[in-house]
Amino acid sequence: MLTALEGAYGDRADAVTVAGRTASYEELLGAAGAVAADVAGAPAFAVTATPRLETVAAVVGGLLAGVPCVPLPPDAGAAEREHILRDSGAAEVEVDFARRSASWSGKAAAPEEPALILYTSGTTGPPKGVVLSGAAIAADLDALAGAWQWSADDTLVHGLPLFHVHGLVLGVLGALRTGSRLVHTGRPTPEAYAAAGGSLYFGVPTVWSRIAAAPEAAAALSGARLLVSGSAALPAPVFRDLERLTGHRPVERYGMTETLITVSGRAGGEVRPGTVGTPLPGIVTRIAAEAGAEIGELQLTGPTLFSGYLGRPEATAAAYTEDGWFRTGDIAAVDEADGVHRIVGRASIDMIKSGGYRIGAGEIENALLDHPKVREAAVVGVPDADLGQRIVAYVVAEGVTGAELTDFVAAHLSVHKRPREVRFVAAVPRNAMGKPQKKLLLEGEFDPNSR
Ligand code: MLC
Ligand code: AMP
C-alpha cells in the first residue's frame, strides 16, 4: 500500500503537506513507526481525524502494525464519538509527530486483513463500521492510477475530511501509493486550491461549485492536469462553468464507502456532463431494472468491495443480492453504445447527500426525538444549489427554537449532520401505516441541480 514510503520514488523533503506543515517520507515513516509500536497487538485504534500530519501518521502507523485505524470525525459530538468507540472497541490514541521510531520492523498485516474501519450512515439507526482490507484499497488505488494516469510526477491537492473514503483513501493513501506529492489545504476553499499549484485536484461538487463561483481562483487551476469530482452528482451548470473558467472538463467518478470507487471517467477520454464514466478494471456492474425499464438499481462485484459491516453479519448479508451482487441503493442507467454510467438518484428517500456527506434521515430523527421538547420528527434532503441536498427537519415541538434543535443535533451527532433548517408543523403527514409521507414534504421543492 505504501509504495512511496518503501522508497520506490526516493525521499522527498516536501512529500506530504497538511494544513501548512510539511514532512518528508522519512519523517512520516518515523512518526508512523512510533504509532505502530504503540498500537501493535490491539484489535483496532481510533484517532481524531483533524486535518494534520498526525492523522496521516496514525493511519500509516496502523498499516505498518497491521491494526485497523478508526478515524473519528473531529466535529463529532459526544454520542457519536461514544458510539464509534464502543462499536469498534477502539481506544483513542494521541500522536506526537515529533516522536519518531525509524526502526519499526514488526509484522505487517496480510492483504486480506482489515486496514481501515470507516463509519457511515444507513437509512436508519446509528452509523455502521465499514471494514476495508488492504487488498481492496490497493486494488482501487491501482485502478484509479490507471484511469487518471496518476503518477509520482503529480502533485495532488485537496482539502477534504480525513475520515471518509474520498479524503482519506483516495486523498492520502492514493498519494502514498502513487508517490505523488500531497498538498492537503486544511479547508477546501477556492483560494486554498488556487494557491496550491497542483496537477491533480479532488473535490466534492459543493467544493467545485464554490470554485466555479470564484472566477479568479478557478482560473488558477487552468495549469492543472486533471480535475476530479465525486461523492455526489456534479451539476451540469457547474461542469460547464468549470470548463469555461479552467479549460478543463472535470472527470467524474462514482463510489461508496462499501465498494470504494468503482466507476470513473478516464484522463484523456471523452467526458460528458452528468455521467460518471465506465467501470474500473475488475469491476462488473449490472442494472437491476424491471422488465422494459432502462433504469434500476446499480449492482456490482469486484476486488474493491468491503469485508463487511463490523459485527453486523445480517446487515452485511442484506447488502447483497441472493446471487452475490452488492446492492448500491443507487438508481442508474448505462449507455448501450459505450457503457457510460449515469447515476439518476437514490432508491431511498432516507439516504441524504449533503456537501458530499452521506447522512441517514433516521439518525437525525432519532437525535431530534432525544430532545425532551420534540414529539415528532421527519427529516428530508431538500434540493440545494450549494450542498446538493440540505437537511430540513419537520418537527412537532413546543417551547424550543429551531436554532436550539440545530445546536442539539450538532452537539449530539456531529456539526456536519445538523439540519440547516427546522420547520415547525402541527403534525407530520403519515400514511395509514403511520409512516411519514416524506414525498408530500418534498412536494414543491424546486431542484436546482437537476441535469
Ligand atoms: C455552524 N457551525 C456550527 C453550527 N452551525 N458549529 C456548531 N454548531 C452549530 N449549530 C460552524 C461549523 O463548526 C463550521 O465552523 C462552520 O459552521 C461551517 O461548517 P459547515 O457549514 O458544515 O461547512 P460547509 O461550508 O457547509 O461545508 C461544505 C464542505 C463540507 C463542502 C466543506 O460539506 C465538506 O467538507 N464535505 C466533504 C464531504 C466528504 O468528504 N464526503 C466524502 C464521503 S466518501 P468552522 O469554524 O469549523 O468553519 C464518498 C465516497 C465517494 O462519498 O464516492 O467519494
Ligand atoms: P459514501 O458512502 O459517503 O461514500 O456515499 C456513497 C454515495 O455517494 C453513493 O451511494 C452515491 O449515492 C453517492 N455518489 C458518490 N459519487 C457519486 C457521483 N459521482 N454521482 C452521484 N452520486 C455519487
Side-chain angles (χ1 to χ4, degrees), residues 14-23 49-56 74 155-173 175 180-189 191-198 200-203 207 357:
D14 59 354
V16 178
T17 299
V18 185
R21 274 163 69 216
T22 297
T50 37
R52 51 188 187 137
L53 286 174
E54 285 76 5
T55 302
V56 177
T155 294
L156 169 65
V157 176
H158 72 94
L160 297 168
L162 298 183
F163 51 95
H164 281 313
V165 161
H166 199 162
L168 183 59
V169 176
L170 275 60
V172 172
L173 299 181
S180 63
R181 259 183 86 219
L182 170 64
V183 177
H184 187 290
T185 58
R187 298 267 173 130
T189 61
E191 296 71 28
Y193 274 41
L200 176 61
Y201 281 83
F202 292 169
V207 168
Y357 285 115

Coordinates of all heavy atoms in Angstrom, one line a residue, residues 14-23 49-56 74 155-173 175 180-189 191-198 200-203 207 357:
D14 N 9.4 17.6 0.5 CA 8.1 18.1 0.6 C 7.0 17.1 0.2 O 6.0 17.3 -0.5 CB 8.0 19.3 -0.4 CG 8.3 18.9 -1.8 OD1 8.7 17.8 -2.1 OD2 8.1 19.8 -2.7
A15 N 7.2 15.8 0.6 CA 6.3 14.7 0.2 C 4.8 15.0 0.6 O 3.9 14.8 -0.2 CB 6.8 13.4 0.8
V16 N 4.6 15.4 1.9 CA 3.3 15.5 2.4 C 3.1 16.8 3.1 O 3.8 17.1 4.1 CB 2.9 14.3 3.3 CG1 1.5 14.5 3.9 CG2 3.0 13.0 2.6
T17 N 2.2 17.6 2.6 CA 1.9 18.9 3.4 C 0.4 18.8 3.8 O -0.5 18.5 3.0 CB 2.0 20.1 2.4 OG1 3.4 20.2 2.0 CG2 1.7 21.4 3.1
V18 N 0.2 19.1 5.1 CA -1.2 19.1 5.6 C -1.4 20.4 6.4 O -0.7 20.6 7.3 CB -1.6 17.8 6.4 CG1 -3.0 17.9 6.8 CG2 -1.2 16.5 5.8
A19 N -2.3 21.2 5.9 CA -2.7 22.4 6.6 C -1.4 23.2 6.9 O -1.3 23.7 8.0 CB -3.5 22.1 7.8
G20 N -0.5 23.3 6.0 CA 0.6 24.2 6.1 C 1.9 23.6 6.7 O 2.9 24.2 6.7
R21 N 1.8 22.3 7.2 CA 3.0 21.7 7.7 C 3.4 20.6 6.8 O 2.6 19.8 6.3 CB 2.7 21.1 9.1 CG 2.9 22.1 10.3 CD 2.2 21.5 11.5 NE 2.9 20.4 12.0 CZ 2.3 19.3 12.6 NH1 1.0 19.3 12.7 NH2 3.0 18.3 13.1
T22 N 4.8 20.5 6.5 CA 5.3 19.6 5.5 C 6.2 18.6 6.2 O 6.9 18.8 7.1 CB 6.1 20.4 4.5 OG1 5.1 21.3 3.9 CG2 6.7 19.5 3.4
A23 N 6.1 17.3 5.6 CA 7.0 16.3 6.1 C 7.6 15.5 4.9 O 6.9 15.4 3.9 CB 6.3 15.3 7.0
A49 N -9.7 12.6 13.5 CA -9.1 12.9 12.2 C -9.1 14.3 11.8 O -9.7 14.7 10.7 CB -9.8 12.0 11.2
T50 N -8.5 15.2 12.6 CA -8.4 16.6 12.2 C -7.4 16.6 11.0 O -6.5 15.8 10.9 CB -7.8 17.5 13.3 OG1 -6.9 16.7 14.1 CG2 -8.9 17.9 14.2
P51 N -7.5 17.6 10.1 CA -6.6 17.6 9.0 C -5.2 18.1 9.5 O -4.9 19.3 9.6 CB -7.2 18.6 8.0 CG -8.2 19.4 8.8 CD -8.6 18.6 10.0
R52 N -4.3 17.2 9.8 CA -3.0 17.5 10.3 C -2.1 16.3 10.0 O -2.6 15.1 9.8 CB -3.0 17.9 11.8 CG -3.7 16.9 12.6 CD -3.9 17.3 14.1 NE -4.4 16.1 14.7 CZ -4.1 15.7 15.9 NH1 -3.2 16.3 16.6 NH2 -4.6 14.6 16.4
L53 N -0.8 16.5 10.1 CA 0.2 15.4 9.8 C 0.0 14.2 10.7 O 0.2 13.1 10.4 CB 1.6 15.9 9.9 CG 2.1 16.8 8.8 CD1 3.5 17.4 9.1 CD2 2.1 16.0 7.4
E54 N -0.4 14.5 12.0 CA -0.6 13.5 13.0 C -1.6 12.4 12.5 O -1.5 11.2 12.8 CB -1.1 14.1 14.3 CG 0.1 14.8 15.1 CD 0.4 16.2 14.5 OE1 -0.2 16.6 13.6 OE2 1.4 16.8 15.0
T55 N -2.7 12.9 11.8 CA -3.7 11.9 11.4 C -3.1 11.0 10.3 O -3.4 9.8 10.3 CB -4.9 12.7 10.8 OG1 -5.4 13.5 11.9 CG2 -6.0 11.7 10.4
V56 N -2.3 11.6 9.4 CA -1.7 10.8 8.4 C -0.7 9.7 9.0 O -0.7 8.6 8.7 CB -0.9 11.7 7.4 CG1 -0.2 10.8 6.4 CG2 -1.9 12.6 6.7
P74 N -13.7 14.9 13.5 CA -13.3 15.9 14.5 C -14.5 16.7 15.0 O -14.5 17.2 16.1 CB -12.3 16.8 13.9 CG -12.3 16.4 12.4 CD -13.0 15.1 12.3
T155 N 1.2 16.4 -8.4 CA 1.0 17.0 -7.1 C -0.5 17.0 -6.9 O -1.2 17.6 -7.6 CB 1.6 18.4 -7.0 OG1 3.0 18.4 -7.1 CG2 1.2 19.1 -5.6
L156 N -0.9 16.2 -5.9 CA -2.4 16.1 -5.6 C -2.7 17.1 -4.6 O -2.1 17.3 -3.6 CB -2.7 14.7 -5.0 CG -4.1 14.5 -4.4 CD1 -5.2 14.6 -5.5 CD2 -4.2 13.2 -3.7
V157 N -3.8 17.9 -4.9 CA -4.3 18.9 -4.0 C -5.8 18.6 -3.6 O -6.6 18.3 -4.5 CB -4.2 20.3 -4.6 CG1 -4.8 21.4 -3.7 CG2 -2.7 20.6 -4.9
H158 N -6.1 18.7 -2.3 CA -7.5 18.7 -1.9 C -7.5 19.1 -0.4 O -6.5 19.3 0.2 CB -8.1 17.3 -2.0 CG -7.6 16.3 -1.1 ND1 -8.3 16.0 0.1 CD2 -6.5 15.5 -1.0 CE1 -7.6 15.1 0.8 NE2 -6.5 14.8 0.1
G159 N -8.7 19.3 0.1 CA -8.9 19.8 1.5 C -10.0 19.1 2.1 O -10.8 19.6 2.9
L160 N -10.2 17.8 1.7 CA -11.4 17.0 2.2 C -11.2 16.4 3.5 O -10.0 16.1 3.9 CB -11.7 16.0 1.1 CG -12.1 16.6 -0.3 CD1 -12.2 15.5 -1.4 CD2 -13.5 17.3 -0.2
P161 N -12.3 16.0 4.2 CA -12.1 15.4 5.5 C -11.4 14.1 5.5 O -11.5 13.3 4.5 CB -13.6 15.2 6.0 CG -14.5 15.7 4.9 CD -13.7 16.3 3.8
L162 N -10.6 13.8 6.5 CA -9.8 12.6 6.6 C -10.4 11.5 7.3 O -9.8 10.6 7.8 CB -8.4 13.0 7.2 CG -7.6 14.0 6.5 CD1 -6.2 14.3 7.2 CD2 -7.4 13.6 5.0
F163 N -11.8 11.5 7.3 CA -12.5 10.3 7.9 C -13.4 9.6 7.0 O -14.2 8.8 7.4 CB -13.2 10.7 9.2 CG -14.1 11.9 9.1 CD1 -15.4 11.7 8.8 CD2 -13.6 13.2 9.2 CE1 -16.3 12.8 8.7 CE2 -14.4 14.3 9.1 CZ -15.8 14.1 8.8
H164 N -13.3 9.9 5.7 CA -14.1 9.2 4.7 C -13.2 8.8 3.5 O -12.0 9.2 3.4 CB -15.2 10.1 4.2 CG -16.4 10.2 5.1 ND1 -17.0 9.1 5.6 CD2 -17.1 11.3 5.5 CE1 -18.0 9.5 6.4 NE2 -18.1 10.8 6.4
V165 N -13.8 8.0 2.7 CA -13.1 7.4 1.5 C -12.4 8.5 0.7 O -11.2 8.4 0.3 CB -14.0 6.5 0.7 CG1 -13.5 6.3 -0.7 CG2 -14.2 5.2 1.4
H166 N -13.2 9.5 0.3 CA -12.7 10.5 -0.6 C -11.4 11.1 -0.1 O -10.3 11.0 -0.8 CB -13.7 11.5 -0.9 CG -13.5 12.3 -2.2 ND1 -14.5 13.0 -2.8 CD2 -12.5 12.5 -2.9 CE1 -14.1 13.6 -3.9 NE2 -12.8 13.3 -4.0
G167 N -11.4 11.7 1.0 CA -10.2 12.4 1.5 C -9.1 11.5 2.0 O -7.9 11.8 1.9
L168 N -9.5 10.4 2.6 CA -8.5 9.5 3.3 C -7.9 8.5 2.4 O -6.7 8.3 2.2 CB -9.1 8.9 4.5 CG -8.1 8.0 5.4 CD1 -6.9 8.8 5.8 CD2 -8.9 7.4 6.6
V169 N -8.8 7.7 1.8 CA -8.3 6.6 0.9 C -7.7 7.1 -0.4 O -6.6 6.9 -0.7 CB -9.5 5.5 0.6 CG1 -9.0 4.5 -0.3 CG2 -10.0 4.9 2.0
L170 N -8.5 7.9 -1.1 CA -8.0 8.4 -2.4 C -7.0 9.5 -2.1 O -5.9 9.6 -2.6 CB -9.2 9.0 -3.2 CG -9.9 8.1 -4.1 CD1 -10.6 7.0 -3.3 CD2 -11.0 8.8 -4.9
G171 N -7.4 10.4 -1.2 CA -6.6 11.7 -1.0 C -5.4 11.5 -0.2 O -4.5 12.4 -0.3
V172 N -5.2 10.5 0.6 CA -4.0 10.3 1.4 C -3.3 9.0 0.9 O -2.1 9.0 0.5 CB -4.2 10.3 2.9 CG1 -2.9 9.9 3.6 CG2 -4.7 11.6 3.4
L173 N -4.0 7.9 1.0 CA -3.3 6.6 0.7 C -3.0 6.6 -0.8 O -2.0 6.0 -1.2 CB -4.2 5.4 1.1 CG -4.4 5.4 2.6 CD1 -5.3 4.2 3.0 CD2 -3.1 5.3 3.4
A175 N -2.0 9.1 -2.6 CA -0.7 9.8 -2.8 C 0.5 8.9 -2.4 O 1.5 8.9 -3.0 CB -0.7 11.1 -2.1
S180 N 2.8 10.5 -5.6 CA 2.5 11.9 -5.9 C 2.7 12.7 -4.7 O 2.5 12.2 -3.6 CB 1.2 12.1 -6.5 OG 0.2 11.8 -5.6
R181 N 3.2 13.9 -4.8 CA 3.2 14.9 -3.7 C 1.8 15.1 -3.3 O 0.9 15.1 -4.1 CB 3.8 16.2 -4.1 CG 5.2 16.5 -3.8 CD 5.6 17.9 -4.2 NE 5.2 18.9 -3.2 CZ 4.7 20.1 -3.5 NH1 4.4 20.4 -4.7 NH2 4.4 20.9 -2.5
L182 N 1.6 15.3 -2.0 CA 0.2 15.6 -1.5 C 0.2 17.0 -0.8 O 1.1 17.3 0.1 CB -0.2 14.6 -0.4 CG -1.5 14.9 0.4 CD1 -2.7 15.0 -0.6 CD2 -1.7 13.9 1.4
V183 N -0.7 17.9 -1.2 CA -0.9 19.1 -0.5 C -2.4 19.1 0.0 O -3.3 19.2 -0.8 CB -0.7 20.4 -1.4 CG1 -1.0 21.6 -0.6 CG2 0.8 20.4 -1.9
H184 N -2.6 18.9 1.3 CA -3.9 19.0 1.8 C -4.1 20.4 2.4 O -3.3 20.8 3.2 CB -4.1 18.0 3.0 CG -5.5 17.9 3.5 ND1 -6.1 18.9 4.2 CD2 -6.5 17.0 3.3 CE1 -7.3 18.6 4.5 NE2 -7.6 17.4 4.0
T185 N -5.1 21.1 1.9 CA -5.2 22.5 2.2 C -5.8 22.8 3.5 O -6.1 24.0 3.8 CB -6.0 23.2 1.1 OG1 -7.3 22.6 1.0 CG2 -5.3 23.1 -0.3
G186 N -6.1 21.8 4.3 CA -6.8 22.1 5.6 C -8.3 22.3 5.4 O -9.1 21.5 5.9
R187 N -8.6 23.3 4.6 CA -10.0 23.5 4.2 C -10.1 23.5 2.7 O -9.2 23.9 2.1 CB -10.5 24.9 4.7 CG -10.4 25.1 6.2 CD -11.8 24.8 6.7 NE -11.8 24.8 8.1 CZ -12.7 25.4 8.8 NH1 -13.6 26.2 8.2 NH2 -12.6 25.4 10.1
P188 N -11.3 23.0 2.2 CA -11.3 23.0 0.7 C -11.9 24.3 0.1 O -12.9 24.3 -0.6 CB -12.3 21.8 0.4 CG -13.2 21.8 1.6 CD -12.4 22.4 2.8
T189 N -11.2 25.4 0.4 CA -11.7 26.7 -0.1 C -11.1 27.0 -1.5 O -10.0 26.5 -1.8 CB -11.2 27.9 0.8 OG1 -9.8 27.9 0.8 CG2 -11.7 27.7 2.3
E191 N -9.7 29.6 -2.6 CA -8.5 30.3 -2.5 C -7.3 29.4 -2.2 O -6.2 29.5 -2.8 CB -8.5 31.4 -1.4 CG -9.6 32.5 -1.7 CD -11.0 32.1 -1.6 OE1 -11.3 31.1 -0.8 OE2 -11.9 32.6 -2.3
A192 N -7.6 28.4 -1.3 CA -6.5 27.5 -0.9 C -6.2 26.6 -2.1 O -5.0 26.2 -2.4 CB -6.9 26.7 0.3
Y193 N -7.2 26.1 -2.9 CA -7.0 25.3 -4.0 C -6.2 26.1 -5.1 O -5.2 25.5 -5.7 CB -8.3 24.8 -4.7 CG -8.9 23.5 -4.1 CD1 -8.9 23.3 -2.7 CD2 -9.5 22.6 -4.9 CE1 -9.4 22.2 -2.1 CE2 -10.0 21.4 -4.3 CZ -10.0 21.2 -3.0 OH -10.5 20.1 -2.4
A194 N -6.5 27.3 -5.2 CA -5.8 28.1 -6.3 C -4.4 28.3 -5.9 O -3.5 28.3 -6.8 CB -6.5 29.5 -6.4
A195 N -4.1 28.5 -4.6 CA -2.7 28.8 -4.2 C -1.8 27.6 -4.2 O -0.6 27.7 -4.1 CB -2.8 29.4 -2.8
A196 N -2.4 26.4 -4.2 CA -1.6 25.2 -4.0 C -0.8 24.7 -5.2 O 0.1 23.9 -5.1 CB -2.5 24.0 -3.5
G197 N -1.2 25.2 -6.4 CA -0.4 24.8 -7.6 C -0.2 23.3 -7.9 O 0.9 22.9 -8.2
G198 N -1.3 22.6 -7.9 CA -1.3 21.2 -8.1 C -1.5 20.8 -9.5 O -1.8 21.6 -10.4
L200 N -3.2 17.7 -10.0 CA -4.4 16.8 -9.9 C -5.2 17.3 -8.7 O -4.6 17.5 -7.6 CB -3.9 15.4 -9.6 CG -4.9 14.3 -9.3 CD1 -5.9 14.1 -10.5 CD2 -4.2 13.0 -9.1
Y201 N -6.5 17.6 -8.9 CA -7.3 18.2 -7.8 C -8.5 17.3 -7.6 O -9.2 16.9 -8.5 CB -7.8 19.6 -8.2 CG -6.8 20.7 -8.1 CD1 -5.9 20.9 -9.0 CD2 -6.8 21.5 -6.9 CE1 -4.9 22.0 -8.9 CE2 -5.9 22.5 -6.8 CZ -4.9 22.7 -7.8 OH -4.0 23.7 -7.6
F202 N -8.8 17.1 -6.3 CA -10.0 16.3 -5.9 C -11.0 17.3 -5.2 O -10.6 18.1 -4.4 CB -9.7 15.2 -4.9 CG -8.9 14.1 -5.4 CD1 -8.4 13.1 -4.6 CD2 -8.7 13.9 -6.8 CE1 -7.6 12.0 -5.0 CE2 -8.0 12.8 -7.3 CZ -7.4 11.9 -6.4
G203 N -12.3 17.1 -5.5 CA -13.3 17.9 -4.7 C -14.7 17.2 -4.8 O -14.9 16.4 -5.7
V207 N -17.6 21.8 -3.3 CA -16.3 22.5 -3.5 C -16.1 23.0 -4.9 O -15.8 24.2 -5.1 CB -15.1 21.5 -3.1 CG1 -13.8 22.1 -3.5 CG2 -15.2 21.1 -1.6
Y357 N -21.4 14.6 2.1 CA -21.6 13.7 3.3 C -22.8 12.9 3.1 O -23.9 13.4 2.8 CB -21.7 14.5 4.6 CG -20.4 15.1 5.1 CD1 -20.3 16.5 5.1 CD2 -19.4 14.3 5.5 CE1 -19.1 17.1 5.6 CE2 -18.2 14.9 6.0 CZ -18.1 16.3 6.1 OH -16.9 16.9 6.5

